[in-house]
């Protein structure tokens, strides 16, 4: 069955990205703001997610949509920073995305106000700024569709997706101080050839997050992109799922909430934001289907 999902979710990570997060500014204008979005066609050049606050304000419910939990484990934490609307602009060139972002933010006012805007980019063949290839164990083909999209829930829901978004800030001084072998043991893969370490410790990131090791298996479609601003930088972690459950299960394990063992990744990076959104399906001709929101 062909699911009517937003194509930018499944398409490969673009050369340039821009993440826009909005808050509700004028609740009375919400329907107008969402109508503005519904009037546009969505191909691969943008992905839209609606936050729990918007759904609540409209008096609706999207089953499974909730704020991300704020988590704290031994020496680590992951914040919850709710957002009302999220747009991932995708393209080839940062200047074009900047201008598209301006235009969109102007059209979404006064319902929505832009609160965070992060420019992002593909690094080499798809590496994190630590140098490690990111996305290797992503499901592909039909498995990617199964992992990322709702199905069997009827029109208005099928083809929708849930996305978890976190901005991570790297400690580049720490990264530079670590020896290559130490870093490989943190990630659980070799930076040089992306091979998985056969003797990776329990703290290694790929051991913590091994998707088949969860019950039920916790598959995610990760579409993260590096970001930099002045001397700061890191990863905008973006993971799509047919629910938020896989992401939360993985994050809990990274934070040591399953067995007290935290993910060694926290040794050089930390999340400073964390929000969840529902990405509506398409109704046809590339327009967003907001029937689940009563629109
Ligand atoms: C700055 C933060 C992060 C960095 C730099 C990072 C980097 C990586 C790298 C290099 C890999 C190995 C290659 C691959 O399969 O993609 C990986 C795997 C993975 N990561 Fe992360 N990651 C980060 C955060 C997260 C978070 C927050 C989650 C989920 C809560 C997560 C879930 C996964 C999963 C599911 C895998 C594949 C595991 C497997 O089945 O082998 N990552 N990550």
């Amino acid at each position: 069955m062909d699911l009517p999902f937003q194509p930018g979710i499944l398409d490969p990570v673009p050369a340039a990205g821009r993440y826009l997060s909005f808050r509700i500014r004028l609740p009375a204008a919400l329907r107008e703001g969402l109508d503005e979005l519904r009037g546009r066609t969505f191909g691969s050049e943008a992905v839209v997610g609606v936050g729990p606050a918007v759904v609540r304000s409209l008096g609706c419910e999207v089953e499974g949509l909730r704020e991300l939990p704020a988590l704290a484990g031994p020496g680590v934490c992951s914040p919850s920073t709710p957002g009302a609307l999220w747009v991932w602009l995708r393209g080839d060139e940062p200047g074009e995305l900047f201008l598209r972002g301006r235009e969109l933010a102007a059209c979404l006012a006064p319902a929505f106000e832009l609160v965070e805007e992060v420019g992002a980019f593909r690094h080499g063949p798809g590496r994190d700024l630590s140098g490690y290839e990111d996305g290797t164990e992503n499901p592909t083909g039909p498995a990617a569709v199964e992992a990322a999209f709702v199905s069997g829930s009827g029109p208005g829901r099928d083809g929708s997706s849930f996305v978890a978004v976190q901005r991570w800030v790297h400690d580049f001084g720490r990264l530079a101080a670590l020896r290559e072998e130490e870093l490989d043991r943190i990630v659980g893969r070799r930076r040089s050839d992306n091979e998985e370490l056969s003797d990776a410790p329990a703290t290694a990131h790929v051991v913590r997050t091994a998707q088949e090791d969860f019950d039920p298996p916790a598959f995610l479609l990760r579409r993260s992109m590096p970001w930099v601003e002045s001397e700061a930088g890191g990863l905008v972690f973006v993971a799509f799922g047919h629910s938020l459950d896989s992401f939360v299960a993985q994050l809990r394990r990274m934070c040591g909430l399953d067995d007290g063992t935290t993910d060694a990744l926290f040794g050089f990076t930390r999340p400073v934001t964390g929000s969840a959104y529902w990405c509506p399906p398409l109704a046809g001709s590339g327009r967003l289907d907001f029937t689940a929101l009563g629109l």
Side-chain angles (χ1 to χ4, degrees), residues 100-183:
R100 274 172 52 202
R102 298 282 86 198
E103 185 270 334
L104 184 65
C107 291
L108 292 177
F112 295 100
E113 181 182 354
L114 190 58
V115 284
E116 197 187 46
E117 206 173 353
V118 183
F121 54 91
R122 193 171 58 220
H123 177 44
R127 292 179 196 273
D128 172 62
L129 288 172
S130 58
Y132 288 86
E133 271 186 43
D134 192 15
T136 311
E137 290 294 336
N138 258 336
T140 54
V145 173
E146 196 185 319
F149 301 109
V150 173
S151 66
S153 293
R157 288 271 304 167
D158 284 356
S160 69
S161 184
F162 295 86
V163 65
V165 185
Q166 292 178 306
R167 189 163 59 84
W168 289 68
V169 180
H170 290 1
D171 180 341
F172 288 99
R174 177 94 187 109
L175 269 172
L178 286 162
R179 284 183 292 114
E180 181 94 4
E181 308 83 70
E182 289 173 315
L183 263 175

Side-chain angles (χ1 to χ4, degrees), residues 128 133 135-137 166 205 209 211 222 237 247 250 265:
D128 172 62
E133 271 186 43
T136 311
E137 290 294 336
Q166 292 178 306
H205 180 55
T209 56
Q211 296 161 102
R222 286 169 293 133
F237 178 86
F247 170 79
Q250 298 210 346
L265 211 62

Side-chain angles (χ1 to χ4, degrees), residues 6-7 74 105 107 120 175 179 199 215 235 242 253 258 280 285 295:
Q6 297 182 47
C107 291
L175 269 172
R179 284 183 292 114
D199 60 347
D215 185 19
L235 188 73
H242 58 67
R253 195 169 283 179
D258 282 358
S285 63
L295 298 175

Side-chain angles (χ1 to χ4, degrees), residues 80-94:
S80 175
T81 57
L85 182 75
W86 175 78
V87 181
W88 174 23
L89 298 176
R90 303 162 39 93
D92 297 322
E93 203 260 300

